[in-house]
Each structure stands twice: as C-alpha cells, then as structure tokens.
Amino acid sequence: MSERTAEPQTVLLRRGEVHSPADPFATAMVVEAGHVAWVGSEGAADAFADGVDEVVDLDGALVTPAFTDAHVHATATGLALTGLDLSGAPSLAAALAAVREFAAARPHDRVLLGHGWDAARWPGGRPPTRAELDEATGHRPLYLSRIDVHSAVVTTALLDLVPGAAAGGEGPLTADAHHAVRAAAFAAVTPARRAAAQRAALARAASLGIGSVHECAGPDISSADDLAGLLALAAEEPGPRVVGYWAEAGEEGIARARELGARGAAGDLFADGSIGSHTACLHGAYADAGHSGTAYLDADAVAAHVVACTEAGLQAGFHAIGDAALTAVVEGVRAAADKVGTARIRAARHRIEHAEMLTPEAVAAFAELGLTASVQPAFDALWGGPDGMYAERLGAERAATLNPFAALLRAGVPLAFGSDSPVTPLDPWGTVRAAAFHRTPEHRVSVRAAFTAHTRGGWRAAGRDDAGVLVPGAPADYAVWRTGELVVQAPDDRVARWSTDPRSGTPGLPDLTPGRDLPVCLRTVVGGRTVFVRPGE
C-alpha cells in the first residue's frame, strides 16, 4: 500500500469486502476526486483497472466508512499519549511512584500535567493528598485530572498560582476551583507543545480508522487559541477532519463560535458535572454522598441559549449526565421550541453530550425535539455493571438505568458515538463492542446499529446526511481492516438468524464477541487522501 498522499488520487480497491448499502455483496470500490465513484463486484472491476492511478489489492480485507469520534479533547488526549497517564495505575502507591518518576524526567516543565487517576479502582479508594503530591514532585506545580476530567488533585505550588482556588478544600477540586486550576495549568503549555500533542492525538485517531473527530472545546476546558490551532493544523496537514464546537453561552459565546469557525456553541457547555466526581446533578442524593451534585445551568439558561443559537443558525448543545440536569435541559429546549417553533428546533439538530441518566420521559422528549444523543458506550464498559462505579455512586437500581441505547434507538433518537478521549481511549471498534454488549442487557443494540452510530451518526450530528457511508457521491473517508469472518450480531437472536440469510442482503461486520481480537486498521483515507498506512503493509 502507498504512503500518505498529499492529493486525492483515482483508486480502484478490489478483491476484498466493501461494507456498503449500495451493494451488500460488493468486493470492489472506485474513488475519484475525493469521493466514492462506484461500488460493485469483482467481475465489473476490470472495466476500471486501466483508468485509475492506483489499484489496491485488498487481499480479502474489509473496507468500511471511516469512524467519526463525536466527542474528543485533542490536546488533552495528546498530552496523555505523550505524558503522564495514570489510567493504568493499579494503586495509589503506583500512581505516586509514576508522578515521582515523571517529575524527575521533566525538570524544565513550568507545570507538570497528568491525567487518568481513578481512586474508585484502587485499594482503599482514596486519591493522593496534596502533601503526598508536594513530596512526589519536589514541591513543583502539578495538575492531575481524574479520569472523568471533572475534578483534579493539585500541588500547593500550583494553587499558589491561582488565587482563591485553595478555597476548594484539601480534597479533589471540582466546579469553579477546578476550572481555575485547569486554566492555569494549560496556560503553561507552549504553542509548540500544544501542536505536538494535537498531532499525536490526530495521528492516533488516524491509526485506528477514525476519519473525523468532533473537538469539544470551550473556555472551561481549553481555550480559543487551542481550538483555533487545532482547526488550522487539521486544515493544513493530512489527517482526520476536525469539526469544532465551542462551549460558551450568550451572545459572546455565539460570536466566538462563529469567529473560530465552530459548528456550534455546543459540546461541553456544562449543565452539570460527572458521576465519578459526585458533580452530576441528580434528583435524589448519591448513594455514597450526602448530596445530589451540582447544577451549572437551569432550564431558563438552557432555553435562552437554544433560542439564541437557533436564531443564529448554529447548533446548541450541552453536557448533561444526571437526571436532574437532563430534566433542566429538556425543559429548556421545550421552552425554546414554544418560542421559535418545534420545526426550527428539530431542524437545528441541537445535541446533548453524554445523556446518561435518561428517564423514559426524557427519551421521548429527545425524539420529539430532534435532539442528538452524543454518547460514550465505553463509559458503561468501564463503570457499569452491578459492581461498577455507577452502582457504588448511585446504587444498583439507578445504575441499571444508565445509557439506555436501545430505548433511544427505538424512540428514533439520533445517536452519535464518541470516546470523550482522554476520559476513555480512542477505540472505535471497542466502542461498538461496548454498545452491543452493554453490561445491562436491555440497553444493548445490534453491532450494525452501533457501527452506524459511530460512522454516519457522527456526520449527521454535525449536520451532514451525505457522508459516513460508502455509496457513490459520498466523501471517500474509509478505512481498510484485517479481520476475521464477517457476521451479523444483534441482541435478539431471531433478528440475527434472519439477517444472516443471504436473501436479507445485510452486509456483515466483524465478530465483536468479547474476548475476540478487534479488527486491525491497515489504511485510513480521508477525502481520497491516505492519512495512515500500517507499517509493513
């Protein structure tokens, strides 16, 4: 296979399996001028062979649409890939040892940055104290975000740089105190280091068959310079497409989103926090804490933002996880619909990130209002189940209601899958597997539905209906995979039996049964340009 290409070429791919609704038995595809030109059988491919720049012999490989990761934080992902990542630390002692080693290896960093600790998975269940981190770093500034990125532990030296943040107390910082220390920490990242982190994140995405990502930026998460730099880098260098979102409310937020070229004033515009950090806003108290979380926006604020974005022709969107936060969002969007009309609200395709604690009434409201649920199935894989963090925080009964993907699909709610990287890793096939094998069986969806949500669903969430699928005229964003036998997997055995009948014309997908190897990406192409080739292929 060829190396990365700067310009789109006319390419014939043949002797493989092409996942396309245009021809469920396709084995070949022609790409021309950055778009899919033809999909069909091996016998018909000979007619194209002499008129193309390149013929790719797939040797039985699978070609699918490239994945879209509908929720990422590229700079933070790149910093985790190239820096201190504690997501694999098995204990507090191991985490402190990693901090000590990292600090020693980075003597010139103004602020040490790390991510991924999860005390809920450690023996004893407690995070590092400030004194322990002061000792481990030699009393240097350190910012260490929890795995959900909604709280952080820091050193005294970093607090000294942020007047007032120490009022957050001795434990992990949340809410405004957390936002303040995060802003100070990331302000110390030089433009060169930031660009290197962004390149690392986009390169990792490309190597996993991800052809586009939705960057969820905002003043409480990153910075305008960070988003502008990422969008410029993506425009200038071959790699995944980047769709930007800027999470700032009000006229200033809308103006800044326009100025940055963002698709919407949306993404992580926080209605609440996270379950792991006890900041998701609940109707009832946490099972392991004497409070019900934190509300950052009420229904009136939601309504005002949705009206303003709708009238400005931009997507609105919110981060909402707890059931009380989702109630506020639904009530706010419904109030906006009362003001500007439901048809305009539906046409705008406003989106809700995470949307975990959905009641049946909220699911119905999402369908009524045309809201896209931008969700992360890996959250369930990581924290779900009767013994998981969700059950610890909420109790098993409430935890079992989380992430009801099947109910959303049955109601007709558009789904877009993502990782929230670096909260969970970029891992598209793992994400599809997590949805199909949800820890709560009634929430499972078919592999085909999950795959659609992670390909075409992301494009639709950004307002494009003509992409994320390999049919003539669609953008040539695709990935080539080495994988085993193709099958049809669905939660309902009767559906699976019908779908594997050749008469059904249902294209197969890799067998994602837990324990089986996931497909290996051999090549990723975006707009006809090769942006990744697996070494040795």
Side-chain angles (χ1 to χ4, degrees), residues 414-500:
L415 288 183
F417 282 177
S419 63
D420 199 8
S421 180
V423 175
T424 65
L426 298 166
D427 180 17
W429 285 113
T431 295
V432 173
R433 171 186 278 171
F437 294 91
H438 197 296
R439 290 179 179 272
T440 306
E442 62 259 36
H443 300 328
R444 293 174 179 171
V445 298
S446 69
V447 167
R448 184 184 182 192
F451 178 79
T452 299
H454 214 352
T455 50
R456 197 170 193 179
W459 283 90
R460 286 172 165 169
R464 291 276 301 271
D465 291 333
D466 61 339
V469 61
L470 299 181
V471 297
D477 289 25
Y478 63 91
V480 180
W481 308 92
R482 181 167 61 236
T483 188
E485 181 187 2
L486 302 184
V487 298
V488 175
Q489 290 178 303
D492 188 323
D493 178 59
R494 293 167 299 176
V495 173
R497 282 201 304 271
W498 174 83
S499 299
T500 53

Side-chain angles (χ1 to χ4, degrees), residues 96-116:
L96 287 170
V99 170
R100 195 173 288 110
E101 182 179 344
F102 183 75
R106 300 265 189 157
H108 304 299
D109 285 7
R110 289 171 51 205
V111 175
L112 298 164
L113 299 172
H115 166 73

Side-chain angles (χ1 to χ4, degrees), residues 314-457:
L314 289 175
Q315 281 182 289
F318 305 91
H319 161 120
I321 286 178
D323 51 2
L326 284 159
T327 295
V329 166
V330 164
E331 289 178 352
V333 178
R334 186 171 279 129
D338 289 342
K339 184 166 183 179
V340 303
T342 300
R344 289 184 69 190
I345 295 295
R346 290 179 61 86
R349 301 192 189 190
H350 303 309
R351 49 189 284 175
I352 313 301
E353 309 300 317
H354 316 309
E356 292 199 81
M357 289 186 73
L358 285 164
T359 63
E361 293 77 17
V363 170
F366 269 49
E368 171 197 347
L369 298 165
L371 298 174
T372 295
S374 169
V375 295
Q376 293 75 40
F379 287 6
D380 173 73
L382 186 59
W383 298 314
D387 301 317
M389 182 271 289
Y390 289 150
E392 180 182 327
R393 293 286 189 270
L394 305 172
E397 186 175 342
R398 276 191 296 177
T401 69
L402 263 61
N403 299 298
F405 305 139
L408 287 162
L409 278 179
R410 281 195 303 269
V413 176
L415 288 183
F417 282 177
S419 63
D420 199 8
S421 180
V423 175
T424 65
L426 298 166
D427 180 17
W429 285 113
T431 295
V432 173
R433 171 186 278 171
F437 294 91
H438 197 296
R439 290 179 179 272
T440 306
E442 62 259 36
H443 300 328
R444 293 174 179 171
V445 298
S446 69
V447 167
R448 184 184 182 192
F451 178 79
T452 299
H454 214 352
T455 50
R456 197 170 193 179

